[in-house]
Amino acid sequence: MLFNSIEFAIFLPVVFLLYWFVFNKNLSKQNLLLLVVSYVFYAWWDWRFLLLLAFSTFLDYFSGLKIEQASTQAKSKFWLVISVGINLGFLGFFKYYNFFIAEMTTALASAGISINVWLLQVILPVGISFYTFHGLSYIIDVYKKRIVAESNFVDYAVFVSYFPLLVAGPIERATHLLPQVKRVRVFDYHRAADGMRQILWGLFKKIVIADNCAVYANAIFNDSAHQDGSSLLLGAVFFAFQIYGDFSGYSDIALGVSRLFGIELLRNFAFPYFSRDIAEFWRRWHISLSTWFRDYLYFPLGGSQGGVWMKVRNTFIIFMVSGFWHGANWTFLAWGFLNALYFIPLLLLDRNRNYLNVIPTHQFFPSVKEFFQIVFTFFLTVLAWVFFRSDTITQAFAIVRTIFSKSLFQIPGFLGKQDPIYFIIHCFLIGILILVEWLHRDKQFGLQINTGTMKSTYKRWSVYTLIVLFILLFGGKQNNFIYFQF
């Protein structure tokens, strides 16, 4: 079920009314309702994968109890290994089996050995990377005694399968979400109103920005061999806004929907395209995944506490694993490797923690230095997105070579084939996105209007109405969210 669908527009109000007006006096029934509707929400794609979700949930719930009850460290570690091994086994089987088999077959063929292999003929279970990481963080936290094992199966199952975050995050932690699941929740009008604003802004980013940018990005990347350098750079820029509008739009909707039910999810984006270097970008982009890898992989590997070699090694491991988490393709590994190359100089010069504040805090315009830092960082990310978006590593390198050719300095030939009015309108809409988020860069999301400063109800509703009109007038073709494939 898509957030930007008629089905969800019916589903959400029905769940909201049941949650607050039928089961509002009983926390256990509220949580049971959340579990049931979460499974309905997930089954909308393919009910058969509910069995996988349910098995993974029960496995981690049972393993958590066994770890808690273990009389020795060896027994505790045994159940940790069982849970982590099976979870990663399922993830690897569905997500990476075909990739490794195909690569092995190619390698053997180059050596003159021909074999017949069996490839999976099933689609990737939607959200498997996300709910697997929910379970892994829980099991590891129980093992590390950061949290007590949850004895209530329904409460734990809600943590794993809570529908706003089930298929594309944010990746939650048991230490953050489980206490909220177990706590009595009281309806808060101001929180709910803020949630509705965040949902509206997320829909604008997805429907108006991402889905329209996809039209240009797809047209250029799908015909990359016949495009000039300036057109390819333009396509990469459009993809940068497509993936940002798509993924951060999903996260905004997820956080906003959750606020309607009195639950706060982890923030996943903090206006990353305003970053002044690549380290700041990664503190602002897909925050829940970046911090997950930091806490559960980078720190256990030694972090940056060791010598230069350990710092470099751990940084490359983090970025390469992050790239591979996104998909079984050499393009994702190249994307991770390139971001590691960007990051390493900042780490070695001890400048990776330079920009922790909002830019700039007390003035509208950035300084000249900050402006060029933002532009340069954005260009680096756009260049990396080329590898992320390309179908093959060969295509990615061909696009990069063309971008850095003389044709970069000519008028994009792609524009000659487009309706100029539509193109101008869409660039204008991207400008609105940038302006609104710049004006609210010290807030949690772009449309977090402070009713204290904008006291006029008329002004606030004028803004809401304008955004709704943009969605109705300029909404692009309905597309799945990009991160559903991960």
Side-chain angles (χ1 to χ4, degrees):
M1 191 182 300
L2 296 172
F3 281 162
N4 54 326
S5 67
I6 298 298
E7 294 89 346
F8 188 76
I10 297 171
F11 172 84
L12 181 59
V14 171
V15 176
F16 179 85
L17 292 173
L18 289 173
Y19 184 84
W20 288 118
F21 292 96
V22 178
F23 302 117
N24 60 310
K25 297 184 183 299
N26 190 308
L27 177 62
S28 297
K29 290 182 179 178
Q30 278 187 325
N31 287 344
L32 183 59
L33 173 69
L34 288 179
L35 179 59
V36 171
V37 299
S38 294
Y39 272 58
V40 171
F41 178 83
Y42 191 71
W44 212 265
W45 279 282
D46 193 325
W47 64 268
R48 293 169 296 180
F49 289 133
L50 280 178
L51 298 175
L52 184 62
L53 173 61
F55 176 81
S56 177
T57 302
F58 180 77
L59 170 69
D60 294 332
Y61 168 77
F62 183 77
S63 298
L65 292 177
K66 285 297 184 180
I67 291 172
E68 185 86 16
Q69 299 164 1
S71 56
T72 65
Q73 182 68 15
K75 291 181 179 179
S76 178
K77 191 170 186 178
F78 170 80
W79 285 107
L80 171 73
V81 171
I82 288 293
S83 180
V84 172
I86 293 176
N87 274 301
L88 291 181
F90 275 127
L91 183 62
F93 179 71
F94 282 102
K95 196 167 184 176
Y96 304 108
Y97 172 82
N98 283 356
F99 172 78
F100 283 116
I101 290 296
E103 290 301 313
M104 181 186 71
T105 303
T106 302
L108 291 175
S110 64
I113 303 173
S114 177
I115 60 172
N116 293 319
V117 296
W118 173 70
L119 296 177
L120 286 179
Q121 301 299 322
V122 299
I123 61 172
L124 180 70
V126 66
I128 187 172
S129 296
F130 291 92
Y131 67 71
T132 297
F133 271 37
H134 290 158
L136 289 177
S137 67
Y138 167 77
I139 284 297
I140 295 171
D141 284 347
V142 171
Y143 178 77
K144 295 289 186 180
K145 302 188 184 304
R146 297 168 185 153
I147 190 173
V148 176
E150 179 53 55
S151 59
N152 186 308
F153 179 75
V154 172
D155 290 354
Y156 176 74
V158 170
F159 156 68
V160 174
S161 59
Y162 184 42
F163 76 91
L165 55 75
L166 177 56
V167 295
I171 299 172
E172 270 291 348
R173 311 291 183 85
T175 51
H176 178 253
L177 183 54
L178 257 177
Q180 296 185 77
V181 172
K182 299 184 70 63
R183 187 167 58 236
V184 173
R185 299 177 287 276
V186 179
F187 181 75
D188 185 326
Y189 170 80
H190 296 290
R191 175 188 283 182
D194 207 39
M196 290 298 294
R197 282 189 284 268
Q198 192 162 11
I199 292 170
L200 181 61
W201 188 241
L203 289 171
F204 172 82
K205 288 200 285 188
K206 167 58 179 172
I207 297 173
V208 177
I209 301 301
D211 287 351
N212 280 297
C213 282
V215 174
Y216 292 119
N218 291 341
I220 292 172
F221 274 88
N222 291 343
D223 189 38
S224 61
H226 302 98
Q227 303 289 343
D228 51 61
S230 54
S231 294
L232 290 171
L233 179 59
L234 185 65
V237 170
F238 274 119
F239 178 72
F241 282 105
Q242 177 195 352
I243 195 170
Y244 173 67
D246 192 284
F247 193 24
S248 71
Y250 182 95
S251 294
D252 277 338
I253 298 170
L255 269 68
V257 167
S258 189
R259 281 179 174 160
L260 297 180
F261 299 99
I263 295 176
E264 294 288 334
L265 300 180
L266 293 171
R267 188 183 187 186
N268 217 16
F269 288 86
F271 313 118
Y273 289 155
F274 298 148
S275 301
R276 288 153 287 187
D277 62 32
I278 208 67
E280 184 182 10
F281 173 83
W282 279 106
R283 285 193 295 273
R284 295 176 175 273
W285 179 276
H286 202 172
I287 301 168
S288 64
L289 179 67
S290 300
T291 54
W292 198 100
F293 279 127
R294 179 198 66 194
D295 295 342
Y296 296 104
L297 185 58
Y298 186 70
F299 287 160
L301 286 172
S304 56
Q305 300 303 311
V308 173
W309 161 244
M310 180 178 285
K311 293 180 181 179
V312 173
R313 182 202 66 181
N314 293 347
T315 298
F316 270 103
I317 289 174
I318 287 296
F319 279 105
M320 296 296 283
V321 171
S322 177
F324 205 49
W325 177 89
H326 283 85
N329 195 319
W330 290 108
T331 55
F332 295 120
L333 287 171
W335 172 75
F337 182 81
L338 184 57
N339 275 286
L341 289 180
Y342 292 161
F343 192 91
I344 289 297
L346 297 173
L347 180 68
L348 296 180
L349 295 172
D350 200 26
R351 294 172 56 186
N352 57 304
R353 303 286 294 176
N354 273 9
Y355 302 114
L356 303 177
N357 61 312
V358 176
I359 172 176
T361 51
H362 302 297
Q363 62 191 58
F364 180 79
F365 293 104
S367 67
V368 174
K369 176 184 176 182
E370 288 171 329
F371 174 78
F372 282 105
Q373 285 177 318
I374 292 171
V375 171
F376 181 65
T377 303
F378 180 70
F379 174 75
L380 291 179
T381 60
V382 165
L383 197 62
W385 286 135
V386 169
F387 290 88
F388 194 96
R389 173 59 181 80
S390 297
D391 296 324
T392 65
I393 198 73
T394 303
Q395 181 193 24
F397 279 113
I399 290 174
V400 171
R401 282 195 300 269
T402 307
I403 287 177
F404 284 101
S405 69
K406 294 180 180 179
S407 63
L408 175 65
F409 302 101
Q410 67 186 47
I411 297 174
F414 175 78
L415 294 182
K417 305 174 185 177
Q418 305 305 310
D419 181 343
I421 301 299
Y422 179 80
F423 181 80
I424 291 171
I425 289 174
H426 190 57
C427 288
F428 171 74
L429 293 170
I430 293 176
I432 289 178
L433 168 73
I434 295 171
L435 177 62
V436 170
E437 297 213 326
W438 179 259
L439 289 172
H440 296 89
R441 61 194 181 278
D442 60 336
K443 304 292 193 299
Q444 292 293 305
F445 60 94
L447 202 62
Q448 192 174 37
I449 295 174
N450 187 335
T451 55
T453 57
M454 189 181 284
K455 296 181 180 180
S456 170
T457 302
Y458 172 77
K459 289 182 179 178
R460 292 200 304 274
W461 278 95
S462 295
V463 172
Y464 307 150
T465 303
L466 186 61
I467 293 175
V468 170
L469 286 175
F470 282 146
I471 292 173
L472 294 176
L473 293 174
F474 305 114
K477 179 183 177 182
Q478 186 185 70
N479 295 309
N480 283 345
F481 288 87
I482 292 175
Y483 267 67
F484 280 11
Q485 64 185 297
F486 304 135

